[in-house]
Amino acid sequence: MTPSLAAIRHDKDSRRQRREDGQWLDGQAAARPRLGIALLVGLDAVWLVSFFLLLAQILDHIAFARPELEDSRLLLGLGLLSGIALLRHALRVHIEQMSLTLGSETVDRLQRQATRNAMDPVCRRRLEESTASLVNRLQGDMDALLPWYREYWPARIQAVAQPLIILVVVFSLDWLAGLLLLFTAPLIPLFSALIGLGTASLAEERRQELERLGGHFLDRLRALSTLRLMRAGARAGMAVGQAAENYRRRSMEVLRVAFLSSAVLEFFSAVAIATVAIYIGLGLLDFIQFGPAPDLDFRAGLAILLLAPEYFQPLRRLAAGYHERAAALTAAARIRPLLQPSTGSHDARPDSTPTINGPIHLTVEQLSLSAGPDAESALIQGLDFQLPAGEWLAITGPSGSGKSTLAAAVLGWQQPLSGRILLDGQSLDEIPLAVRRQRLAWLGQQPHLLPASLAANLDPGGEHGVAEHWRVLHRVGLADLPDLLPRGLQSKLGERGAGISGGEAQRIALARALLGRPGLLILDEPTASLDPDNEALILQALREQAGDCSILMFTHSRAAAEAADRCLVLRDGSLRDD
Amino acid sequence: MTNRRLLKYLLRDLPKGQRRWLFGGLLLALTTALSTLGLVAAAGWLITACALAGAAGGAVMTVEIFFPGALIRFFAVSRTVSRYLERLVVHEAVFRILGRLRQALFTQQMQRPFASLSGLRDGPLLTRLMVDVERLEHFHAGLLLPLSSFFTAVLLLALTAWIVSGATAAMVILLLGVGVLLLMIAFMVQHGRRDASLALAQARANTRLHDLLAAHRELQFADPSEQNLEQWLDQASSHRQEEKNLADGAARNDSRIQLLFSLGLVGLTLISTHSAHVQQQATALPWWVLVLLGLVALAGLATGLVPALRRWAMVRVAAHRLAPATRTSPSINSPMAAQGERHGPVAWQLEGVTLARGLSDRPVLDWVNLQLPAGERWSIVGDSGAGKSRLAALLVGALSPDGGRVLMDGEAMSHWPEAARFARVALLEQRSVILAGSLADNLRLGNPELDRDRMIRALQATGLSEAGLTPETRVGEMDRTLSGGEARRVALIRTVFCDTPTLILDEPFRGLDRGSIDKVSDWLVTETRGRGLILLDHRHHPALCPHGQLRLRNGGLERT
């Protein structure tokens, strides 16, 4: 029931933010279908009004003309009524289909764009967000946008068009009744706003407490193994129940006020219908002698009565969709940062990728780097070094000296403040992304294996043959791994690479990096979480590889630094010989 | 689960003890529905009667307007009030049901095998659990109440029609009700399973996305043509397409129900002509209009019923998975039994223990025989990745060896219930788990009787007071987030305060700077005096572990 609470917290700033998010959401959808939906919704309202006018006409005919069953006017009227009903059915289905398509297409486009960005290391460095929370944004939040286009957009049009048309009709029938409807409608937002003001301050006070209580269950569930170790499980269980109880009590205090604003809507619509009915009754009995009342007839009276509930219905529908609307706005605010394109990383893929092979000569000239994409001050200043083709260079240095940042810059994941990075004499930003992706490779501290077969893990792009798979497995000393697995190269590695040790996973990841015969291999702490056996195996594999490709390795490990051809120390923003 | 057992679960077991609230909500929903119907129907009756009386000039026929007028006003007020109360009571009921469900679920998860608990930290299991709870939330308010109040309203309108306008009108209304039911059943038969399988496919896609996002840097180079991403995007699009088709099907049937009502209205009007004509009674017509307008209002109540039905598939899946939790009573017969009695420090004995690592790697422990006498204090030193954490898990019985056996106080691990093991040995895990709450809540975790002075002394001794932390500080993601070093110290203090006779500390100084390590180390010396200690770290700490160090490497544990 969290959405009901999410719907009612807003102060001035967040209201402005919401309005902006709402406009943004509207702007994402294509204009033409939106216009089409608006027109059809208006048309539907016209047919709805016609239906009730005709029904009133027929009942009037029955009451005063006392027609026979075979009366042609009666049958014609009823036939028309059925026709309108069929027409409205077709129209409704069509509107629904259009708005469903509008929602799906818009969200699909947003999801594609956001997911591409989320897979882009440049954007990810800017976002600095956990994978789990990104998944929520890309799936849950995207789905939360759907009702905005599917329900809220048509409902908004209906809430304008239908009352307006009904108002015109009712005025033409009896202006006093029209006046009554006209005045009740604006009172609704007024009173709701008054109540809303009370709720907003109440909710703001309680918001934190409610969020805390609401998150308690999840928090304790995640800590379950610790709770068990501390023998605190039973107590935590009681506390979960207690927190849920408090959450209920606090929430109900807020909801008691929050529901009042929809009760106002309910109250005015019900009272308006009742008042209109009694007014018409008295008018028909000629008890009212002023205004249009003496001229009121049964047909007009009945029509007004039938239309009165429909006058308020769209407003009620809009109010009922308030939670979905609030959820969509919240989701929009969370999604928008994901859609900002990163500069320069999305250049077009060239049709043909050059087939240059061999090790790359890396030159770094006067390079200055900030600690992160948003940081201002320079972490590294005026850095110069060369990595001759085929050399294996290790760079060590204390934590925070900027090793990972330098690695990111060489990979093109972070823009330098100044200076140049050259690959074989060509500036990094002039090399198309596709070529960079082909010629460079990267391996980090934590290998990420996919829950797929060993072959699919070695070659996620599916671009290389089995012989190549065996070649890289040999290179990392895992040639006998397929024999230990039930189905060889096709064996599924399972969730998070289960069954395989961290060291083996890292060697598979290294094999994967070597598969595309990169010209420059960049390693960021490749052996930091490995046991000595596996570290030795990795270093041995790198020794064999050096020469075929250039290796730039950032490491803490003594053994790794000694295994390289050359070792430099990064300290206070500059490189020195070890 | 059969449908009957499913319904029994949803209607009886799940809302157990809260059924009064649910029943109250149902009554109020019904009142709201009937008031809506009554308001329009009575108004229809009133103006028809007035029109007929007005036309007749008041002499032939008089209408007593005040009672119907009062009735209409009553319906207007009762609709508002009962709707407001209905929403409150239903929310109250759902909150209560969910509170109980959460507690039961927590208790159930707590009784899982220890090794499987890590899956709850952040993985798909946790997500699934939360999603399931959310789905069950919708059943009572979104499905049960609207459906039952709609069909009750159908019956009541049919009954009214029978009394005021005869059996034919009642039959038409009942037939309409049956028609709605049939359309709903048709929808369920066509689409019921598809919603569930879509939810399953989406959950799988979620996991897949998680894996892709985690591996995004590797995939930059390993998958230059972005095949994995494209594949996922296409899959997500096709899921959305399927979801759209399902929503479309629901909307179609919803519209068909409205069409059915409109046609029913036409039919009923025709019948009314016949009947009013035959009866030649002016008083019959107002009653007919009452029924007709009641039908119009009933059609309004039917909107949105079919889209709500789509939730049923999800409710089914969720109920299926969560039902076992609620059936076990929430009273916690926890592994707490062994508390209270005092034990001495623990002695361990490893007999030919083997602990494998991966498929081709050298094992962490390869046929290790070792005695660790009670009350002794040892460092176990090993590089990262050497298997220290798994060794620690082995010593508290959270992990079983691949060969050989581990004895605790001369008895096999399996002899000791979990509570007995954890009452003798407290383990500081490698991860520092901080609970959202006050710092005192965290520190008291293993020792509810811990007094405030002792907490403050510990905070001061470990340098946490300098960082502005007091027992009252609220910590957690929403409040003050602790740095790695702070969290480590909090976790360490908490473990030491468990007051178990033996401690296993896995990298207690992780993330701490030199000065803090000295402070924490001094504090540990005083606090752990007289207790057995095994300290796993990259290096030996002689002050804490006077008995010496064991080096974990090459599959062995060597004394050095």
Side-chain angles (χ1 to χ4, degrees):
Chain A
M1 289 287 152
T2 12
S4 15
L5 298 167
I8 49 173
R9 51 173 132 108
H10 40 211
D11 48 37
K12 227 180 202 161
D13 275 346
S14 67
R15 224 173 307 181
R16 194 176 44 77
Q17 180 63 39
R18 268 159 188 272
R19 201 163 36 238
E20 203 189 297
D21 287 333
Q23 281 162 3
W24 178 80
L25 276 174
D26 284 343
Q28 295 309 306
R32 270 179 71 105
R34 264 166 65 201
L35 190 68
I37 291 170
L39 286 174
L40 289 181
V41 168
L43 198 62
D44 182 51
V46 170
W47 285 117
L48 172 86
V49 171
S50 326
F51 183 85
F52 283 130
L53 284 178
L54 189 60
L55 182 64
Q57 178 82 51
I58 292 170
L59 286 174
D60 182 71
H61 186 64
I62 294 174
F64 294 105
R66 300 277 174 96
E68 295 289 329
L69 257 186
E70 297 77 32
D71 182 282
S72 60
R73 271 187 70 196
L74 176 75
L75 290 181
L76 180 69
L78 289 177
L80 265 177
L81 212 55
S82 313
I84 294 177
L86 277 167
L87 195 72
R88 281 198 68 211
H89 168 63
L91 203 58
R92 269 197 308 260
V93 167
H94 194 62
I95 291 172
E96 196 67 37
Q97 207 163 29
M98 277 180 82
S99 39
L100 284 173
T101 311
L102 180 72
S104 300
E105 280 176 0
T106 311
V107 172
D108 214 56
R109 194 174 50 73
L110 292 176
Q111 189 180 40
R112 275 178 185 268
Q113 197 181 338
T115 312
R116 275 184 216 287
N117 278 346
M119 285 297 285
D120 179 2
V122 183
C123 284
R124 283 287 280 279
R125 280 180 71 80
R126 176 165 52 79
L127 291 168
E128 286 182 341
E129 203 176 323
S130 79
T131 310
S133 123
L134 268 177
V135 170
N136 275 340
R137 288 212 214 182
L138 291 171
Q139 285 273 67
D141 283 346
M142 285 294 173
D143 286 339
L145 295 187
L146 284 171
W148 181 274
Y149 303 105
R150 289 181 175 181
E151 281 138 46
Y152 182 59
W153 171 253
R156 220 168 13 157
I157 303 292
Q158 198 193 17
V160 177
Q162 191 164 315
L164 212 63
I165 294 171
I166 291 178
L167 211 53
V168 170
V169 172
V170 171
F171 258 103
S172 72
L173 291 172
D174 184 296
W175 59 263
L176 210 58
L179 225 50
L180 189 83
L181 291 186
L182 182 66
F183 279 121
T184 37
L187 283 179
I188 293 165
L190 186 73
F191 275 89
S192 303
L194 282 179
I195 291 166
L197 281 181
T199 331
S201 57
L202 182 74
E204 206 47 48
E205 241 169 68
R206 294 280 160 79
R207 192 174 61 85
Q208 273 229 324
E209 192 184 357
L210 281 174
E211 269 182 31
R212 241 182 234 138
L213 288 169
H216 186 273
F217 176 59
L218 181 63
D219 185 74
R220 295 305 188 264
L221 208 52
R222 288 168 108 160
L224 210 50
S225 61
T226 307
L227 294 172
R228 272 268 282 278
L229 274 173
M230 301 260 137
R231 293 176 300 146
R235 262 174 287 132
M238 300 309 267
V240 163
Q242 195 58 49
E245 183 69 10
N246 287 337
Y247 183 67
R248 173 184 68 79
R249 223 174 300 134
R250 295 284 177 230
S251 304
M252 288 311 293
E253 280 169 20
V254 178
L255 291 180
R256 268 196 278 278
V257 184
F259 288 161
L260 274 181
S261 69
S262 61
V264 165
L265 170 62
E266 205 69 41
F267 179 74
F268 273 100
S269 74
V271 165
I273 295 168
T275 313
V276 164
I278 292 168
Y279 161 74
I280 294 170
L282 291 173
L284 289 173
L285 282 175
D286 295 329
F287 283 7
I288 304 175
Q289 292 305 332
F290 59 91
D295 303 328
L296 191 68
D297 59 3
F298 178 53
R299 185 187 65 85
L302 193 59
I304 293 171
L305 179 70
L306 282 166
L307 290 173
E310 298 299 332
Y311 178 74
F312 295 100
Q313 183 52 37
L315 289 175
R316 292 171 70 191
R317 181 178 161 198
L318 207 58
Y322 198 64
H323 300 158
E324 280 77 24
R325 176 178 167 269
L329 286 173
T330 313
R334 284 157 52 88
I335 285 168
R336 284 176 73 181
L338 270 180
L339 293 165
Q340 287 167 21
S342 61
T343 43
S345 65
H346 272 299
D347 50 9
R349 279 176 234 152
D351 300 330
S352 61
T353 46
T355 48
I356 327 155
N357 272 322
I360 289 175
H361 180 104
L362 170 73
T363 314
V364 171
E365 282 177 1
Q366 285 299 308
L367 187 71
S368 295
L369 289 172
S370 58
D374 298 323
E376 301 276 314
S377 59
L379 179 67
I380 290 174
Q381 211 146 20
L383 193 74
D384 281 298
F385 73 90
Q386 299 262 345
L387 170 60
E391 195 191 49
W392 176 6
L393 171 67
I395 294 181
T396 67
S399 313
S401 58
K403 295 194 298 291
S404 291
T405 313
L406 181 56
V410 175
L411 287 157
W413 296 343
Q414 182 171 333
Q415 278 293 315
L417 294 172
S418 64
R420 294 203 301 167
I421 298 166
L422 303 169
L423 303 185
D424 283 337
Q426 196 181 2
S427 171
L428 188 65
D429 10 290
E430 285 164 18
I431 303 173
L433 180 65
V435 177
R436 260 188 276 153
R437 292 177 73 162
Q438 210 96 65
R439 300 280 289 130
L440 303 183
W442 176 87
L443 181 67
Q445 182 177 341
Q446 278 297 328
H448 293 285
L449 296 188
L450 303 171
S453 70
L454 176 58
N457 264 294
L458 285 174
D459 187 10
E463 296 183 345
H464 304 274
V466 180
E468 284 291 288
H469 298 166
W470 282 105
R471 176 183 69 85
V472 289
L473 280 178
H474 271 286
R475 173 89 0 136
V476 299
L478 282 176
D480 39 1
L481 184 68
D483 294 336
L484 295 169
L485 291 165
R487 295 182 55 219
L489 276 173
Q490 295 310 318
S491 312
K492 212 174 159 202
L493 289 188
E495 204 164 275
R496 317 266 182 266
I500 295 210
S501 74
E504 284 162 340
Q506 182 70 330
R507 276 148 70 201
I508 293 174
L510 177 61
R512 170 161 71 189
L514 296 179
L515 189 66
R517 296 181 189 271
L520 172 60
L521 178 61
I522 292 150
L523 305 162
D524 195 357
E525 302 281 5
T527 60
S529 46
L530 295 190
D531 55 295
D533 286 350
N534 269 299
E535 178 172 35
L537 283 164
I538 292 255
L539 294 174
Q540 189 190 330
L542 289 175
R543 174 45 57 213
E544 286 170 28
Q545 187 66 27
D548 293 345
C549 83
S550 316
I551 301 173
L552 180 59
M553 177 175 74
F554 298 90
T555 183
H556 257 120
S557 154
R558 193 87 238 135
E562 278 164 8
D565 295 329
R566 186 157 66 104
C567 181
L568 296 173
V569 184
L570 181 65
R571 187 173 287 141
D572 305 325
S574 60
L575 278 172
R576 277 168 233 159
D577 281 320
D578 195 10
Chain B
M1 204 187 299
T2 61
N3 275 330
R4 247 185 80 195
R5 281 183 55 201
L6 182 67
L7 278 176
K8 188 174 154 259
Y9 168 70
L10 288 168
L11 298 176
R12 278 202 14 218
D13 300 347
L14 187 62
K16 200 174 192 170
Q18 313 301 342
R19 277 192 299 187
R20 289 175 298 137
W21 288 98
L22 214 52
F23 194 66
L26 187 64
L27 280 184
L28 286 164
L30 210 59
T31 314
T32 315
L34 292 182
S35 303
T36 310
L37 242 63
L39 175 64
V40 180
W45 181 90
L46 177 73
I47 68 164
T48 318
C50 288
L52 290 174
V60 184
M61 198 178 143
T62 52
V63 176
E64 206 276 294
I65 193 166
F66 295 101
F67 173 68
L71 194 65
I72 289 169
R73 261 170 272 162
F74 167 76
F75 279 138
V77 173
S78 75
R79 187 178 94 167
T80 313
V81 172
S82 63
R83 175 81 186 120
Y84 176 69
L85 290 179
E86 174 204 331
R87 292 182 77 187
L88 283 186
V89 169
V90 168
H91 273 76
E92 180 86 33
V94 172
F95 276 129
R96 282 169 181 266
I97 291 168
L98 278 185
R100 200 173 148 272
L101 177 68
R102 284 184 168 194
Q103 192 175 359
L105 211 57
F106 188 85
T107 313
Q108 181 210 30
Q109 295 297 321
M110 206 178 60
Q111 280 152 7
R112 292 169 70 102
F114 190 85
S116 73
L117 289 181
S118 61
L120 276 174
R121 272 175 208 154
D122 220 356
L125 181 64
L126 183 73
T127 320
R128 206 191 67 192
L129 209 61
M130 297 307 284
V131 169
D132 279 347
V133 172
E134 211 172 277
R135 282 175 185 158
L136 274 195
E137 199 177 290
H138 292 303
F139 172 71
H140 299 98
L143 207 58
L144 180 65
L145 294 190
L147 280 179
S148 41
S149 60
F150 171 73
F151 284 108
T152 317
V154 170
L155 290 180
L156 281 172
L157 186 67
L159 188 68
T160 314
W162 190 39
I163 294 169
V164 301
S165 306
T168 331
M171 280 307 289
V172 172
I173 292 168
L174 282 180
L175 278 176
L176 283 177
V178 172
V180 171
L181 197 63
L182 286 177
L183 277 171
M184 285 179 170
I185 292 171
F187 174 76
M188 290 304 286
V189 169
Q190 270 181 334
H191 301 287
R193 306 247 167 224
R194 277 167 69 192
D195 255 315
S197 51
L198 176 65
L200 225 77
Q202 274 173 333
R204 273 197 301 269
N206 234 329
T207 315
R208 173 93 184 140
L209 179 65
H210 194 282
D211 290 321
L212 289 183
L213 287 175
H216 72 288
R217 284 179 294 201
E218 282 101 325
L219 289 175
Q220 276 283 303
F221 305 105
D223 183 11
S225 52
E226 298 189 330
Q227 288 192 18
N228 285 275
L229 173 62
E230 293 302 326
Q231 208 182 359
W232 187 85
L233 287 173
D234 290 345
Q235 204 182 24
S237 292
S238 76
H239 288 160
R240 185 155 291 122
Q241 186 64 35
E242 167 76 352
E243 199 275 334
K244 190 191 123 186
N245 292 341
L246 288 169
D248 190 45
R252 243 168 237 275
N253 274 13
D254 213 38
S255 184
R256 277 186 200 129
I257 289 177
Q258 293 301 314
L259 179 64
L260 198 65
F261 272 107
S262 298
L263 296 179
L265 192 67
V266 171
L268 216 51
T269 313
L270 194 66
I271 296 169
S272 80
T273 322
H274 180 63
S275 145
H277 185 70
V278 167
Q279 288 171 4
Q280 284 296 332
Q281 275 180 318
T283 47
L285 194 67
W287 293 112
W288 271 107
V289 174
L290 178 139
V291 173
L292 290 175
L293 262 67
L295 197 62
V296 171
L298 194 61
L301 289 181
T303 41
L305 285 185
V306 182
L309 277 183
R310 288 188 58 203
R311 290 191 176 138
W312 176 246
M314 314 293 185
V315 168
R316 242 183 106 98
V317 173
H320 190 76
R321 285 199 288 237
L322 298 186
T326 340
R327 288 223 194 79
T328 57
S329 71
S331 74
I332 296 176
N333 53 342
S334 69
M336 292 267 308
Q339 216 173 24
E341 39 180 315
R342 300 297 304 176
H343 324 274
V346 168
W348 277 284
Q349 205 173 335
L350 275 61
E351 293 180 349
V353 170
T354 303
L355 193 56
R357 184 213 310 268
L359 296 166
S360 60
D361 284 352
R362 196 199 321 239
V364 175
L365 297 177
D366 194 0
W367 193 258
V368 168
N369 293 294
L370 184 75
Q371 300 267 1
L372 286 169
E376 292 199 349
R377 298 160 71 96
W378 288 90
S379 280
I380 294 183
V381 180
D383 300 312
S384 30
K388 295 191 295 293
S389 298
R390 298 186 65 199
L391 177 60
L394 196 68
L395 291 178
V396 294
L399 188 70
S400 309
D402 296 295
R405 45 185 213 146
V406 180
L407 303 179
M408 192 190 231
D409 283 346
E411 300 278 0
M413 271 299 173
S414 56
H415 164 86
W416 302 100
E418 184 185 290
R421 279 182 270 133
F422 293 167
R424 286 167 170 77
V425 187
L427 166 66
L428 171 70
E429 300 163 284
Q430 207 173 36
R431 265 174 3 122
S432 321
V433 176
I434 300 297
L435 301 178
S438 72
L439 198 56
D441 291 341
N442 274 285
L443 297 178
R444 279 208 186 100
L445 206 53
N447 185 353
E449 278 91 46
L450 189 63
D451 64 67
R452 194 169 177 277
D453 289 345
R454 215 176 143 199
M455 281 189 241
I456 290 181
R457 280 200 303 275
L459 291 178
Q460 279 166 347
T462 54
L464 287 173
S465 295
E466 294 161 33
L469 292 171
T470 67
E472 286 73 35
T473 312
R474 294 203 70 94
V475 294
E477 272 171 37
M478 286 189 50
D479 300 282
R480 183 172 180 316
T481 44
L482 298 180
S483 73
E486 287 167 353
R488 196 70 199 141
R489 278 174 277 178
V490 171
L492 173 66
I493 297 172
R494 177 170 79 188
T495 310
V496 171
F497 280 168
C498 279
D499 287 339
T500 52
T502 308
L503 290 167
I504 299 180
L505 306 178
D506 190 359
E507 299 199 13
F509 307 114
R510 199 182 166 131
L512 267 62
D513 57 62
R514 205 50 264 166
S516 304
I517 292 179
D518 291 341
K519 269 189 203 160
V520 171
S521 177
D522 289 346
W523 177 79
L524 268 179
V525 169
T526 41
E527 280 293 330
T528 60
R529 194 163 289 142
R531 296 160 85 177
L533 175 68
I534 291 177
L535 196 156
L536 303 114
D537 205 352
H538 297 286
R539 58 186 191 86
H540 179 39
H541 296 271
L544 279 164
C545 304
H547 290 99
Q549 59 170 320
L550 297 166
R551 182 159 278 279
L552 176 63
R553 82 176 149 206
N554 301 339
L557 267 173
E558 309 146 25
R559 278 169 211 247
T560 48

